[in-house]
Amino acid sequence: MPAADDPIHPAVDRIELADVLAALGHPVRLEIVRRLADGEEAFCGEVVPDLPRSSVTHHLRTLRESGIIRRRPQGRKLYLALRRDDLELRFPGLLELVLACRSRPLDSECDEQPL
């Protein structure tokens, strides 16, 4: 498995909030994160919706380079895992908030929480 500071997986202190939010702002990438939210490593084919290979490559690269997921090749398969602990360390509560708001209507408490 690549180290956290491997160029393909940014070290925790190099994960930037703007990159994480931009990555989570796309519905396909957000759905990938939701599918990995249980904390278990998953085979890419189980996680990624039916999309053209070029789109899958783009979305996974964006998630990986932003520090949201870790990938691990094994033979011909690619396994993905959410970097939940790293994201919690860097931005406490962010991932839980994003995941908690996944199915609530726009007028719910997720939209206008006082700071």
Side-chain angles (χ1 to χ4, degrees):
M1 178 187 290
D5 59 354
D6 186 299
I8 64 169
H9 297 105
V12 175
D13 64 342
R14 294 195 172 247
I15 298 173
E16 297 293 331
L17 181 60
D19 296 336
V20 170
L21 294 175
L24 293 173
H26 192 283
V28 170
R29 292 191 290 264
L30 185 56
E31 183 59 29
I32 293 169
V33 169
R34 288 178 180 146
R35 292 179 183 191
L36 293 170
D38 67 2
E40 297 296 318
E41 190 176 64
F43 168 58
C44 179
E46 299 170 333
V47 175
V48 179
D50 295 330
L51 294 172
R53 188 177 181 110
S54 61
S55 293
V56 170
T57 300
H58 168 73
H59 290 305
L60 294 180
R61 180 177 352 121
T62 300
L63 289 169
R64 179 181 40 81
E65 289 177 351
S66 67
I68 296 172
I69 65 169
R70 176 168 280 111
R71 71 176 190 179
R72 180 182 63 84
Q74 182 174 342
R76 295 182 58 134
K77 291 187 175 184
L78 181 64
Y79 289 88
L80 308 172
L82 188 59
R83 292 179 65 181
R84 183 182 288 273
D85 292 342
D86 293 342
L87 291 168
E88 183 62 25
L89 181 65
R90 186 77 167 128
F91 309 111
L94 176 66
L95 188 58
E96 290 306 317
L97 179 62
V98 168
L99 293 172
C101 293
R102 72 185 198 179
S103 62
R104 295 184 182 171
L106 291 177
D107 63 346
S108 73
E109 63 186 57
C110 290
D111 297 307
E112 295 190 25
Q113 283 283 333
L115 298 177

